[in-house]
Amino acid sequence: MMAVTAGADYCYAIEVFKPMADAAVKIVEKNGFSDKIKIINKHSTEVTMGPDGDMPCRANILITELFDTELIGEGALPSYEHAHRHLVQENCEAVPHRATVYAQLVESRRMWSWNKLFPIPVHTSCGEQVIVPPLELERCPGAPSVYDIQLNQVSSADFTVLSDVLPMFSVDFSKQVSSSAACHSRQFEPVASGRAQVVLSWWDIEMDPEGKIKCSMAPFWAHSDPEELQWRDHWMQCVYFLPQEEPVVQGSSIYLVAHHDDYCVWYSLQRTSPEKDRRVYPARPVCDCQAHLLWNRPRFGEINDQDRTDQYIQALRTVLKPDSVCLCVSDGSLLSLLAHHLGAEQVFTVESSAASYRLMKKIFKANHLEDKINIIEKRPELLTSADLEGKKISLLLGEPFFTTSLLPWHNLYFWYVRTAVDQHLGPGAVVMPQTASLHAVVVEFRDLWRIRSPCGDCEGFDVHIMDDMIKRALDFRESKEAEPHPLWEYPCRCLSEPQQILTFDFRQPVPPHLIHAEGSIELRRPGRSHGAVLWMEYHLTPDNTVNTGLLKSVEDKVVLCTGTVAGTPTASRQCTSSPWRTPERRWAALRLSVTLWISTPTLETSPWISHSQTPWTMGSDPHLLRNKVA
């Protein structure tokens, strides 16, 4: 529609997703462009050309938005390659015209902790013990996928810049594009000495051939005009991990190499020119140690958080006895090693997946504990007395962490495991954590609300039809459930005080009746109430708590998971319950009535919380909003 308004004679709009294509037909008709625009519900590679085809002739202008945070991750290169060969004229003009990928080399212990397992010191009565990673894990290049985050929320104190911002490669979309694998090198002199670990990367696009209209994804420190920085969540910035950390010396020339295939980008450092060296270029990194398949980047950060580990160590010291028989239930957890080093007589750990079983075997072997810790590859509810060598468990341990958990309360699976193994617990057995609690705070987001805000009229066009389509999609139960977000990336301010919503006593089996709590949250500050942040806290002992959400509130600003007890920022699992699709309304103060139900599912299902059919309806009192969450 923008193209026709700008003077195009006719437009062909290719949309493969049928619901969006159907909405596009209606939007085009509603805005009076049906005689100028044809919607083709196909993949671009399936479009036919000719008198009886989808298009009678080739186009002379190519307009696309095929990009992701990595630029090429959604198949932009093969799509452009095919379009130039089959759909557009030679020497056509493309909008956008050109893209350039930039990179900056940094040293960052915090980011590096998202990719490698650090040695973990454990102070015991016999001196310091160190849990070391297997050599295979240290040598592993890591996961093959980019880690896209909001770099603007990473403190400059968390990394040391080792290079200037380097333009790595450009793609001219008006010319024939190749999807073949390629590499692009850039020689540079490090601006500081250090250990090269991470490459930060982003891109910009020039919309016109002269480059006068530019859209940049650069973080604030590299942006040409930080005051004009626009918030985006569909295009962010990239974190790439080098296969191994390498020392660099200030002023000593080195080469940063960007490699890409048709969908992925990765980086390497080389001491000599790749063109002169003629050596085999590093292949796309693929995990061969199992750890990066089992633990995602946030989980690596969580395990490497020494403050968090110390909480477990302090708690274990208070509950362990010389004759303790421990059973550890969490996916790929190091709790079993901590329990052994802190003096447990015997330790069993249950791993329900083959991947976690193999990984833990490697970690035990690297620490010479393969004969000291019994690892059982079995679902917890299938444990038998023989698996435990006929012994009764005196200490049941869990972080808890399970790889299938997405929302904060999904790790309550530990409670159902505890119930399933109740028959194996001895008299007076201790369960750690002892209890858990669900907490909530109502917040105003600085930007995150935009992902649920209707478009309405956009650039002068009525797109309410798309808003209605999205609203209908959100009426399904799955869409009403709370959304998981790493909320450290999304600044917000609290409008209420944090409130404990529900508690769960792991010392007792899951009760047969429904767990229900009802109450209200008073909004103490004026602002736009965009939603509620929910998180879990695990009380290991009365004096030791692991917090996965709110750490503090400073002058009504929410600080979430900054790396203390809660773990590294991305390790925690918070979620938002976002009932307001239009956040424009403002109240000075109101009371929020919340009703929560958590059912008691079997081990095959998980606890869930979601909005009811009509979330957030006004009651008779205009200052009262009611929400039922099941």
Side-chain angles (χ1 to χ4, degrees):
M1 293 190 294
M2 294 173 67
V4 171
T5 303
D9 294 323
Y10 200 86
C11 289
Y12 298 91
I14 303 169
E15 173 57 60
V16 68
F17 185 49
K18 190 175 190 321
M20 189 61 77
D22 292 343
V25 170
K26 297 175 183 177
I27 291 171
V28 166
E29 181 180 1
K30 186 176 182 65
N31 287 273
F33 292 102
S34 294
D35 61 334
K36 291 284 189 176
I37 300 174
K38 177 183 178 181
I39 308 297
I40 303 172
N41 182 205
K42 290 183 177 181
H43 193 282
S44 62
T45 58
E46 299 171 343
V47 172
T48 57
M49 195 69 59
D52 299 323
D54 299 308
M55 297 173 59
C57 62
R58 290 174 178 249
N60 54 16
I61 297 180
L62 176 61
I63 305 172
T64 62
E65 194 284 272
L66 298 169
F67 314 123
D68 67 346
T69 295
E70 201 172 16
L71 183 68
I72 67 172
E74 292 183 1
L77 295 183
S79 295
Y80 271 109
E81 184 176 43
H82 176 272
H84 276 286
R85 289 179 177 174
H86 301 285
L87 302 180
V88 298
Q89 299 173 10
E90 189 175 357
N91 298 320
C92 78
E93 186 53 69
V95 180
H97 180 79
R98 180 187 297 106
T100 302
V101 174
Y102 299 88
Q104 188 168 35
L105 189 67
V106 303
E107 175 181 356
S108 173
R109 177 177 174 83
R110 176 183 169 192
M111 296 186 203
W112 196 237
S113 75
W114 302 339
N115 185 57
K116 297 289 185 180
L117 179 62
F118 295 167
I120 300 173
V122 183
H123 297 281
T124 72
S125 58
C126 300
E128 183 179 85
Q129 302 288 330
V130 179
I131 300 173
V132 299
L135 188 60
E136 186 179 352
L137 198 157
E138 288 186 320
R139 293 175 176 173
C140 180
S145 58
V146 64
Y147 192 21
D148 53 338
I149 64 172
Q150 296 280 0
L151 269 183
N152 288 315
Q153 299 308 315
V154 176
S155 169
S156 57
D158 284 326
F159 61 91
T160 300
V161 170
L162 300 180
S163 77
D164 293 324
V165 175
L166 306 172
M168 296 306 301
F169 64 92
S170 295
V171 182
D172 189 334
F173 299 121
S174 294
K175 299 178 181 179
Q176 180 62 56
V177 173
S178 173
S179 62
S180 300
C183 72
H184 312 268
S185 64
R186 180 69 61 175
Q187 185 179 19
F188 70 98
E189 293 184 358
V191 298
S193 298
R195 304 194 67 80
Q197 299 168 325
V198 174
V199 175
L200 308 179
S201 182
W202 56 89
W203 50 265
D204 64 28
I205 48 177
E206 298 172 359
M207 306 302 291
D208 61 310
E210 292 76 27
K212 295 179 180 179
I213 306 171
K214 184 176 289 187
C215 180
S216 176
M217 306 306 122
F220 69 88
W221 68 84
H223 204 280
S224 57
D225 188 357
E227 295 298 322
E228 296 296 321
L229 194 68
Q230 290 188 330
W231 182 84
R232 299 181 178 90
D233 202 46
H234 53 302
W235 298 331
M236 297 186 283
Q237 295 82 37
C238 303
V239 174
Y240 295 96
F241 303 99
L242 293 176
Q244 299 295 328
E245 62 179 6
E246 297 187 35
V248 296
V249 179
Q250 182 177 0
S252 181
S253 182
I254 196 172
Y255 292 84
L256 180 64
V257 186
H259 312 260
H260 73 79
D261 53 22
D262 46 352
Y263 283 91
C264 296
V265 179
W266 63 97
Y267 287 87
S268 66
L269 276 182
Q270 297 187 20
R271 301 290 173 180
T272 58
S273 169
E275 289 76 13
K276 294 180 180 179
D277 197 1
R278 295 183 180 277
R279 69 175 182 175
V280 178
Y281 298 127
R284 178 184 174 191
V286 176
C287 173
D288 54 17
C289 73
Q290 303 291 321
H292 300 90
L293 303 180
L294 181 67
W295 300 333
N296 59 17
R297 274 67 177 261
R299 177 59 173 165
F300 266 97
E302 194 172 61
I303 293 173
N304 284 321
D305 185 347
Q306 190 62 45
D307 291 333
R308 179 179 181 274
T309 299
D310 287 343
Q311 286 290 322
Y312 287 99
I313 291 174
Q314 292 171 22
L316 282 168
R317 286 197 179 111
T318 66
V319 298
L320 274 175
K321 299 177 181 178
D323 60 349
S324 290
V325 177
C326 301
L327 174 63
C328 300
V329 182
S330 281
D331 292 343
S333 173
L334 302 185
L335 278 183
S336 57
L337 289 88
L338 297 181
H340 171 80
H341 285 311
L342 292 171
E345 180 180 274
Q346 190 164 5
V347 180
F348 298 91
T349 184
V350 178
E351 300 294 343
S352 57
S353 74
S356 59
Y357 177 82
R358 289 194 295 268
L359 173 62
M360 296 311 297
K361 291 279 282 188
K362 294 175 184 177
I363 293 175
F364 293 162
K365 185 176 181 180
N367 289 274
H368 310 291
L369 297 175
E370 62 266 41
D371 298 328
K372 305 288 181 61
I373 300 176
N374 302 73
I375 182 169
I376 305 166
E377 185 182 3
K378 185 176 283 190
R379 288 181 59 86
E381 71 270 23
L382 301 179
L383 278 176
T384 65
S385 179
D387 294 323
L388 303 174
E389 300 176 2
K391 297 183 178 180
K392 289 293 185 178
I393 300 301
S394 58
L395 177 58
L396 177 64
L397 297 175
E399 295 191 33
F401 171 82
F402 302 97
T403 55
T404 54
S405 297
L406 184 61
L407 297 173
W409 44 85
H410 286 171
N411 280 326
L412 288 177
Y413 176 74
F414 175 76
W415 202 6
Y416 304 102
V417 169
R418 178 257 179 271
T419 303
V421 302
D422 188 64
Q423 60 181 314
H424 302 299
L425 303 182
V430 174
V431 179
M432 192 185 96
Q434 296 179 359
T435 60
S437 51
L438 177 66
H439 298 253
V441 64
V442 179
V443 301
E444 176 184 32
F445 285 107
R446 191 175 73 189
D447 298 298
L448 187 61
W449 61 270
R450 300 174 191 272
I451 69 174
R452 282 292 187 93
S453 180
C455 294
D457 291 332
C458 183
E459 298 296 326
F461 305 113
D462 184 348
V463 293
H464 284 85
I465 290 172
M466 187 180 74
D467 293 335
D468 294 339
M469 178 189 71
I470 294 172
K471 183 178 179 180
R472 288 193 300 271
L474 293 173
D475 285 338
F476 291 98
R477 173 186 146 174
E478 290 79 3
S479 298
K480 294 175 190 174
E481 295 187 14
E483 298 178 8
H485 290 285
L487 288 181
W488 68 277
E489 296 184 51
Y490 304 101
C492 58
R493 55 187 291 266
C494 58
L495 302 183
S496 72
E497 295 303 318
Q499 186 160 320
Q500 182 172 294
I501 303 297
L502 282 170
T503 58
F504 314 93
D505 190 349
F506 298 154
R507 293 167 295 186
Q508 303 297 325
V510 175
H513 58 272
L514 196 69
I515 302 172
H516 169 254
E518 184 172 352
S520 63
I521 300 177
E522 183 179 355
L523 302 191
R524 299 287 186 89
R525 303 173 184 90
R528 293 184 173 95
S529 304
H530 291 143
V533 173
L534 299 101
W535 69 93
M536 295 291 295
E537 295 184 6
Y538 296 99
H539 312 288
L540 309 180
T541 68
D543 299 322
N544 298 97
T545 295
V546 171
N547 183 353
T548 71
L550 179 69
L551 295 183
K552 59 182 178 179
S553 178
V554 182
E555 296 181 351
D556 79 11
K557 292 183 179 179
V558 175
V559 180
L560 288 151
C561 305
T562 56
T564 59
V565 178
T568 58
T570 51
S572 64
R573 299 174 186 272
Q574 308 106 18
C575 67
T576 58
S577 176
S578 305
W580 289 276
R581 297 190 178 100
T582 54
E584 291 79 12
R585 297 195 65 182
R586 182 183 293 269
W587 291 271
L590 53 82
R591 288 178 61 82
L592 182 65
S593 179
V594 181
T595 306
L596 295 165
W597 289 274
I598 289 188
S599 57
T600 54
T602 63
L603 275 167
E604 284 70 33
T605 60
S606 298
W608 57 274
I609 295 181
S610 70
H611 297 308
S612 63
Q613 185 65 26
T614 54
W616 302 100
T617 57
M618 262 302 187
S620 57
D621 182 348
H623 299 293
L624 190 65
L625 293 178
R626 295 189 178 278
N627 178 33
K628 290 186 180 296
V629 183

